[in-house]
Amino acid sequence: MSKESWLPTLKTDTPEEGYDLAVKLARKAVGMTQPDENVRKELRPVYANNADSLTFASQVVAINFQTVAAANNYWNE
Amino acid sequence: MSKESWLPTLKTDTPEEGYDLAVKLARKAVGMTQPDENVRKELRPVYANNADSLTFASQVVAINFQTVAAANNYWNE
Amino acid sequence: MSKESWLPTLKTDTPEEGYDLAVKLARKAVGMTQPDENVRKELRPVYANNADSLTFASQVVAINFQTVAAANNYWNE
Amino acid sequence: MSKESWLPTLKTDTPEEGYDLAVKLARKAVGMTQPDENVRKELRPVYANNADSLTFASQVVAINFQTVAAANNYWNE
Amino acid sequence: MSKESWLPTLKTDTPEEGYDLAVKLARKAVGMTQPDENVRKELRPVYANNADSLTFASQVVAINFQTVAAANNYWNE
Amino acid sequence: MSKESWLPTLKTDTPEEGYDLAVKLARKAVGMTQPDENVRKELRPVYANNADSLTFASQVVAINFQTVAAANNYWNE
């Protein structure tokens, strides 16, 4: 496991950190598809001001959170 | 587990509280993407009056409810 | 478990009742996002006469049915 | 289990029958949202001739097939 | 298990064959909704040249691949 | 298991490699639907500069990552 990995583990100490990791996972694929940070910054106001785009972003976080939560056995012990 | 965490646990006493938590999870990602509460308030009538937007919101709750329900072993016992 | 809860349990006697519960779960989030029943009634003909909106509604039911079916161990025994 | 139930069980003898049941589940929610058969018939050519609508229909079947396949333990044994 | 079944089993020897089966599952529902092969052929260039339609097609394959992979216990052993 | 297989296994050494495999799975279905690499290249700027298209791409990666993560038992030994 490389120290430089952006994703060394799916384990987190708390559900909240797990949720943050889900957000990170959602954003990573966006960055891999559009590597230009300037373009991503220009797009941000587009979807941050559109109701359906915000729901869509929340959906992808929800899917990733399913994965992270399962990986942590839902933080039950 | 910090007292200030917005998500200290995925455990709830009842399915209904679990559903409420799923709604909270869905809204959290929206708030992280659009932190400006005023903008979110302006967007609310847009999606609250659009049939597909309402279905979309329900979909994200459904995905999060899958996670919360599994975390609570579906409240069996 | 409150008697007044709209969701006291995910358990149902039959798959058909489980499907009805999935429909209820899908509608609940819509009602929480748009609490005005009159608005929801006005929106009904919009999506009930649109093919993709109907498919979308069916999708949310399908996601919720996954949860309900798992909670009932797929009604095996 | 009522004889008249449209969904007496999620069990099927074969994967193919399970897939047919997934299609039935997808259509059921459409029929519950739009009970008028004539309207549904009018909508059919709309989505049956639209590529994305067909993909969407296939998606809902896929989600339901996940449920049916799990209920049948993927027909292993 | 009928010899003529288009889906006699969810088991495949390799992940790659499992992925092909997921594609087959995705296409089957399309064919059941639009049985006319000529119409489907006419629609092909529409979605094959549209970025979001291609992503959508990939999504349905992904959902079906979840089912097939689980049915094969992820080809572990 | 053929050496030439594009998908010999779902196992990866690390979560990061698993995420890369999820991206690969998402792209594979696109390539199977639109085999012409030139067309795909032309489409790339279309979705790489559209916020919702990027979210959509991230969603399909998320679904595939669920599969890969489960196949690796979430990299918990």
Side-chain angles (χ1 to χ4, degrees):
Chain A
M1 200 177 295
S2 159
K3 281 171 187 169
E4 310 84 3
S5 174
W6 68 271
L7 186 64
T9 177
L10 294 180
K11 290 279 188 187
T12 68
D13 285 336
T14 63
E16 186 174 345
E17 288 171 39
Y19 195 86
D20 290 338
L21 180 54
V23 173
K24 186 181 181 181
L25 287 164
R27 289 183 180 163
K28 185 69 184 182
V30 171
M32 289 168 83
T33 311
Q34 177 48 270
D36 188 331
E37 202 183 331
N38 289 325
V39 175
R40 293 203 306 273
K41 275 183 188 166
E42 284 168 33
L43 293 174
R44 178 164 281 263
V46 178
Y47 67 84
N49 292 289
N50 180 283
D52 287 341
S53 297
L54 287 168
T55 305
F56 202 176
S58 181
Q59 186 222 55
V60 182
V61 172
I63 296 170
N64 282 309
F65 188 58
Q66 288 190 328
T67 309
V68 174
N72 286 278
N73 196 27
Y74 305 99
W75 297 275
N76 295 329
E77 257 63 2
Chain B
M1 200 177 295
S2 160
K3 280 171 186 170
E4 310 85 2
S5 174
W6 68 273
L7 186 63
T9 176
L10 294 180
K11 290 278 187 187
T12 68
D13 285 337
T14 63
E16 186 175 345
E17 289 172 37
Y19 195 85
D20 289 338
L21 179 54
V23 172
K24 186 181 181 181
L25 287 164
R27 289 183 180 163
K28 185 70 184 179
V30 171
M32 290 169 83
T33 311
Q34 177 47 271
D36 188 331
E37 202 183 331
N38 289 324
V39 175
R40 293 203 306 273
K41 275 183 186 164
E42 284 167 33
L43 293 174
R44 178 164 281 263
V46 178
Y47 68 84
N49 292 289
N50 180 283
D52 287 341
S53 297
L54 287 168
T55 305
F56 202 176
S58 180
Q59 185 221 55
V60 182
V61 172
I63 296 170
N64 281 309
F65 188 58
Q66 288 189 328
T67 308
V68 175
N72 287 278
N73 196 26
Y74 305 99
W75 297 276
N76 296 329
E77 260 65 357
Chain C
M1 199 177 295
S2 159
K3 281 171 187 170
E4 310 83 2
S5 174
W6 67 272
L7 186 63
T9 177
L10 294 179
K11 289 280 188 187
T12 68
D13 285 337
T14 63
E16 186 175 344
E17 288 172 36
Y19 195 86
D20 290 339
L21 179 55
V23 172
K24 186 182 181 179
L25 287 164
R27 289 183 180 164
K28 185 71 184 179
V30 171
M32 289 169 83
T33 310
Q34 177 47 271
D36 188 331
E37 202 183 330
N38 289 325
V39 175
R40 294 203 306 273
K41 275 183 187 165
E42 284 168 34
L43 293 174
R44 178 163 281 265
V46 178
Y47 68 83
N49 292 290
N50 181 283
D52 287 341
S53 297
L54 287 169
T55 305
F56 202 176
S58 180
Q59 186 222 54
V60 182
V61 172
I63 295 170
N64 281 308
F65 188 59
Q66 288 190 328
T67 309
V68 175
N72 286 278
N73 196 27
Y74 305 99
W75 296 275
N76 295 329
E77 256 64 0
Chain D
M1 198 178 295
S2 159
K3 280 172 187 170
E4 310 83 2
S5 174
W6 68 271
L7 186 63
T9 177
L10 294 179
K11 290 280 188 186
T12 68
D13 286 336
T14 64
E16 186 175 344
E17 289 172 37
Y19 194 87
D20 290 339
L21 179 55
V23 173
K24 186 182 180 179
L25 288 163
R27 290 183 180 164
K28 185 70 184 180
V30 170
M32 289 169 83
T33 310
Q34 178 46 271
D36 188 330
E37 202 183 330
N38 289 325
V39 175
R40 294 203 306 274
K41 275 184 187 165
E42 284 166 34
L43 293 174
R44 178 163 280 266
V46 178
Y47 67 84
N49 291 290
N50 181 283
D52 287 341
S53 297
L54 288 169
T55 304
F56 202 176
S58 180
Q59 187 223 53
V60 182
V61 172
I63 295 170
N64 282 308
F65 188 59
Q66 288 189 328
T67 309
V68 175
N72 287 279
N73 195 26
Y74 304 99
W75 297 275
N76 295 330
E77 261 60 4
Chain E
M1 197 177 294
S2 159
K3 280 172 187 170
E4 311 83 2
S5 174
W6 68 271
L7 186 63
T9 178
L10 294 179
K11 289 280 187 186
T12 68
D13 286 336
T14 64
E16 186 174 345
E17 289 172 38
Y19 194 86
D20 290 339
L21 179 54
V23 172
K24 186 181 180 180
L25 288 163
R27 291 183 179 164
K28 185 69 183 181
V30 171
M32 289 169 82
T33 310
Q34 178 46 271
D36 187 331
E37 202 183 331
N38 289 325
V39 175
R40 293 203 307 273
K41 274 184 187 165
E42 283 167 34
L43 293 174
R44 177 163 281 265
V46 177
Y47 67 85
N49 291 290
N50 180 283
D52 288 340
S53 297
L54 287 169
T55 305
F56 203 177
S58 181
Q59 186 223 55
V60 182
V61 172
I63 295 170
N64 281 309
F65 188 58
Q66 288 190 328
T67 309
V68 174
N72 286 278
N73 195 26
Y74 305 99
W75 297 275
N76 295 329
E77 274 50 10
Chain F
M1 199 177 293
S2 159
K3 280 172 188 169
E4 311 83 3
S5 174
W6 68 271
L7 186 64
T9 177
L10 294 180
K11 290 278 189 188
T12 68
D13 286 337
T14 64
E16 186 174 345
E17 288 172 37
Y19 194 86
D20 290 338
L21 179 54
V23 173
K24 186 181 180 180
L25 287 164
R27 290 183 178 162
K28 185 68 183 182
V30 171
M32 289 168 83
T33 311
Q34 177 47 271
D36 187 332
E37 203 183 330
N38 290 324
V39 175
R40 293 202 308 272
K41 275 184 187 165
E42 284 167 33
L43 293 174
R44 177 164 282 263
V46 177
Y47 67 85
N49 291 289
N50 180 283
D52 287 341
S53 297
L54 288 169
T55 305
F56 203 177
S58 181
Q59 186 222 54
V60 182
V61 172
I63 295 170
N64 281 309
F65 188 58
Q66 288 190 329
T67 309
V68 174
N72 286 279
N73 196 26
Y74 304 99
W75 296 277
N76 296 328
E77 254 56 9

